[in-house]
Amino acid sequence: MGVCVLKSLSTNRVTFILALFFVTVFNIPFFSIVKHGLENQSHVDPFFVATIPVFMVAALGFLFSVFSIKYLLKPFFIVLILLSSSVFFAAYKYGVVFDTGMIENTFQTNSAEAFTYVNWASIGNFLLTGLLPAWLLYKADIVYQPLTKELLHKVIFMVANLAVVLLIAFGFMQNYASFVRNNDQIKHYIVPTYFIGSASKYVYQNYLQTPITYQQLGTDATVVKSAAAASEKPKLLVLVVGETARAMNYEYYGYQRPTNAYTKDLGLIAFDKVRSCGTATAVSLPCMFSRMDRKNYNGRRAKAQDTAVDVLHHAGVNVLWVENDSGCKGVCDRVPSYTINVDMDSALCDGEFCQDQVMVDKLDEVLSAKDLPLQDRLIVLHIVGSHGPTYYRRYPEQHRKFTPDCPRSDIQNCSHDELVNTYDNTILYTDYVLSEVVKRLQQQQRYAPAMMYLSDHGESLGEKGLYLHGTPYSIAPAEQTTVPWLTWMSDSYAASNGLQSHCLDGLQLRRGYSQDNLFDTLLGLFNVNSSVYQSQKDIFRQCRS
């Protein structure tokens, strides 16, 4: 779309140039997937391969013609180019797919989190593939014919493109059907149709559909007291919700590095092969606290009903949510909550993020308060954990154990070893924070304490060309869906919950758990009796006497 072709362009010519530009530039990730799929086939028809870009150009040419209308063409496609530039970069550099879940995650991202993705590589891409072609389109001299003639030319152009699409489809129908069936993920990388469709679905579900009537759950919830309840201390459970921690980098699960050096001697139970509910915080966080399982989870319905923390609140448990990440995604909307101030005068905060030691300091403050009545308590600490791509900002200098690390946000430009070192430093620092939480709880005299840690989802570090997270669950790698789940219990907490110590020791040998188990496990740990409690999903029920 050079300056030499900016003069006297017809709408059809502009439409064709736009379609060609989108196919040859923004769909580079798509063709990478196609190339990988073709390499896995025993026989490849070269004529079929040659039709793919032609098919794409013709299909986009047909679709783009609908919007190639005077007064609409330039503003519509300028916005589309700018959006597609960002989507292209995320897919090309990180393998990120903008499905409905990722669109929701994007809408819920705060400014500090968004700026972590801004670096020289992303800026250069936006200038080259976004602003430059958008400016060229803005400057283009488009000649519009009289209405009747313009419509006739448009119809001829659309019919010609449709004819090409149909001719290729019928001529190579078996090839396309077989290839798409064996490489279903390719549709996720088509720009702009897939991300536009996902965004439209998100807007429709959240803003255009009739709101669902809110449903309270577990209003019948009560804490069942044992015969010795009068002499028992109230329970205190600190639930640490992790961020972007994948299980495969945990020493507990066979990782060859000492990433759990701080907690390995504290007697934690590590549940193996735990599956997440999603691959992004906007999905996993509300899902893991929801009554719904992953297979029947619906984000819209989840927002319109109580969560596990609400049910515990109904039962009389004192609940507090402390936030140091990107928000509780609606989970804590109906219980007391506190958000860490990133502008606080602390060596741990930089005005955008706070390192997770601040959560331990806040826990000290909460536990030292004397004005609350002694009752069962749940304190949720939502940490920033291993949030990328600026992993290096998640740990202080004294916890920079694995070197050389990757002190930059354009992580694709670091070596794999540097990236893994940086990520492992975040895991080790989280382990330190957990050890500090446990040590605080070990000193408790007023409560029977316990600590549980569960990450929301995992992370890709370049495996299979993927970085970060958010890949559609159906095609997401284990790095993004397998998460750590750790638990520590004091003897007094285990006793008040009727848990047998020898059985607890054997629990970590069991597998097959998922975030679907969290709802009932939380209720079970507070001896809550309710119609919404499903004992078969409570991890610890088998250890209760």
Side-chain angles (χ1 to χ4, degrees):
M1 209 187 294
V3 177
C4 60
V5 296
L6 291 177
K7 301 298 182 182
S8 302
L9 292 172
S10 67
T11 55
N12 288 344
R13 183 171 294 182
V14 171
T15 304
F16 174 76
I17 294 172
L18 285 168
L20 187 63
F21 175 71
F22 270 75
V23 170
T24 57
V25 176
F26 292 149
N27 279 283
I28 290 175
F30 165 80
F31 285 108
S32 296
I33 302 297
V34 170
K35 178 177 179 292
H36 179 72
L38 292 172
E39 290 172 346
N40 291 329
Q41 289 190 180
S42 57
H43 173 71
V44 177
D45 184 345
F47 293 103
F48 160 64
V49 176
T51 67
I52 297 176
V54 178
F55 183 94
M56 292 280 290
V57 172
L60 287 184
F62 179 84
L63 291 175
F64 285 180
S65 290
V66 177
F67 303 95
S68 299
I69 304 170
K70 190 176 183 179
Y71 305 121
L72 176 63
L73 190 154
K74 285 190 176 183
F76 177 82
F77 284 105
I78 285 173
V79 171
L80 189 61
I81 288 170
L82 296 178
L83 291 175
S84 298
S85 174
S86 299
V87 170
F88 156 71
F89 183 78
Y92 182 64
K93 290 297 185 181
Y94 304 122
V96 173
V97 173
F98 280 81
D99 63 349
T100 307
M102 181 54 70
I103 294 294
E104 181 177 17
N105 210 43
T106 302
F107 271 84
Q108 295 183 9
T109 298
N110 56 42
S111 59
E113 184 177 345
F115 275 109
T116 63
Y117 297 92
V118 177
N119 49 60
W120 288 115
S122 62
I123 293 173
N125 168 80
F126 191 67
L127 290 173
L128 187 62
T129 68
L131 288 178
L132 178 59
W135 178 81
L136 290 173
L137 177 59
Y138 172 75
K139 297 295 291 183
D141 178 21
I142 303 176
V143 178
Y144 296 96
Q145 303 291 335
L147 181 60
T148 303
K149 192 174 183 179
E150 183 75 22
L151 286 176
L152 178 61
H153 287 180
K154 181 177 291 293
V155 170
I156 293 173
F157 181 77
M158 294 180 72
V159 169
N161 279 284
L162 184 60
V164 172
V165 169
L166 294 177
L167 184 64
I168 293 175
F170 283 116
F172 297 89
M173 182 177 294
Q174 290 184 342
N175 301 77
Y176 275 94
S178 175
F179 187 75
V180 172
R181 184 170 59 251
N182 295 326
N183 301 274
D184 182 64
Q185 73 273 23
I186 64 173
K187 65 175 182 282
H188 301 119
Y189 291 90
I190 300 176
V191 179
T193 55
Y194 192 74
F195 86 84
I196 292 295
S198 299
S200 300
K201 183 178 179 181
Y202 173 79
V203 170
Y204 174 73
Q205 291 177 345
N206 289 273
Y207 300 104
L208 300 180
Q209 283 186 310
T210 303
I212 300 175
T213 302
Y214 192 87
Q215 179 185 11
Q216 284 192 309
L217 300 178
T219 54
D220 62 340
T222 56
V223 174
V224 178
K225 298 293 185 180
S226 66
S231 60
E232 289 178 353
K233 296 177 181 179
K235 299 182 185 67
L236 167 63
L237 174 62
V238 176
L239 172 60
V240 182
V241 178
E243 169 65 52
T244 321
R246 67 186 201 180
M248 65 181 296
N249 286 59
Y250 272 65
E251 188 180 0
Y252 284 114
Y253 305 120
Y255 192 50
Q256 296 304 305
R257 277 182 157 180
T259 52
N260 298 119
Y262 294 102
T263 64
K264 65 180 181 181
D265 295 326
L266 294 178
L268 273 65
I269 300 171
F271 299 112
D272 197 8
K273 305 297 183 185
V274 177
R275 298 279 288 179
S276 68
C277 193
T279 61
T281 306
V283 176
S284 275
L285 190 60
C287 180
M288 62 197 284
F289 285 94
S290 166
R291 175 64 284 175
M292 291 175 277
D293 295 339
R294 184 187 68 80
K295 291 183 179 179
N296 62 18
Y297 176 74
N298 180 284
R300 186 164 171 262
R301 282 199 294 128
K303 293 176 182 177
Q305 61 181 230
D306 283 347
T307 66
V309 295
D310 294 310
V311 176
L312 291 174
H313 188 63
H314 295 327
V317 176
N318 184 300
V319 179
L320 174 65
W321 185 290
V322 184
E323 180 63 46
N324 190 38
D325 196 15
S326 57
C328 70
K329 313 304 181 187
V331 176
C332 65
D333 286 356
R334 294 160 297 278
V335 299
S337 62
Y338 174 85
T339 300
I340 297 294
N341 181 8
V342 296
D343 294 318
M344 63 189 300
D345 185 16
S346 169
L348 299 169
C349 302
D350 62 8
E352 293 182 348
F353 295 97
C354 291
Q355 291 162 356
D356 286 322
Q357 175 64 41
V358 297
M359 303 294 270
V360 180
D361 298 340
K362 183 62 181 179
L363 181 63
D364 286 337
E365 178 187 328
V366 171
L367 295 180
S368 64
K370 305 296 183 182
D371 56 341
L372 289 175
L374 278 177
Q375 64 184 115
D376 290 346
R377 301 185 69 176
L378 169 67
I379 301 175
V380 183
L381 305 179
H382 187 197
I383 64 175
V384 73
S386 302
H387 201 301
T390 50
Y391 306 113
Y392 68 96
R393 297 174 67 181
R394 307 294 167 246
Y395 51 90
E397 177 63 27
Q398 62 267 33
H399 286 274
R400 184 172 169 260
K401 303 298 183 182
F402 303 110
T403 57
D405 55 1
C406 174
R408 54 197 297 175
S409 62
D410 52 338
I411 54 177
Q412 72 279 3
N413 292 320
C414 293
S415 71
H416 182 68
D417 288 345
E418 290 171 339
L419 180 56
V420 172
N421 285 341
T422 312
Y423 184 80
D424 284 350
N425 282 333
T426 69
I427 299 298
L428 182 60
Y429 182 58
T430 294
D431 195 65
Y432 166 76
V433 170
L434 296 181
S435 72
E436 291 297 298
V437 170
V438 171
K439 290 174 182 177
R440 265 59 172 187
L441 297 179
Q442 288 175 330
Q443 299 169 4
Q444 274 299 309
Q445 301 297 322
R446 306 169 69 204
Y447 296 95
M451 186 277 294
M452 183 180 288
Y453 168 74
L454 176 61
S455 182
D456 58 353
H457 55 78
E459 186 86 328
S460 287
L461 300 176
E463 301 87 1
K464 304 179 182 72
L466 298 177
Y467 292 86
L468 305 175
H469 52 268
T471 303
Y473 203 93
S474 60
I475 62 172
E479 289 85 358
Q480 295 187 30
T481 60
T482 309
V483 294
W485 190 342
L486 312 175
T487 301
W488 171 86
M489 284 187 193
S490 64
D491 292 339
S492 57
Y493 194 102
S496 67
N497 206 248
L499 298 173
Q500 302 170 0
S501 59
H502 68 278
C503 178
L504 291 176
D505 293 338
L507 273 184
Q508 57 190 333
L509 301 178
R510 301 175 185 270
R511 298 179 176 182
Y513 297 122
S514 74
Q515 290 178 345
D516 292 345
N517 294 100
L518 180 63
F519 188 104
D520 301 289
T521 299
L522 284 176
L523 268 58
L525 285 174
F526 283 96
N527 298 112
V528 170
N529 181 33
S530 171
S531 58
V532 298
Y533 172 64
Q534 299 175 14
S535 61
Q536 70 275 17
K537 293 184 178 180
D538 179 355
I539 287 179
F540 295 105
R541 70 178 177 86
Q542 57 197 308
C543 290
R544 290 193 178 91
S545 56

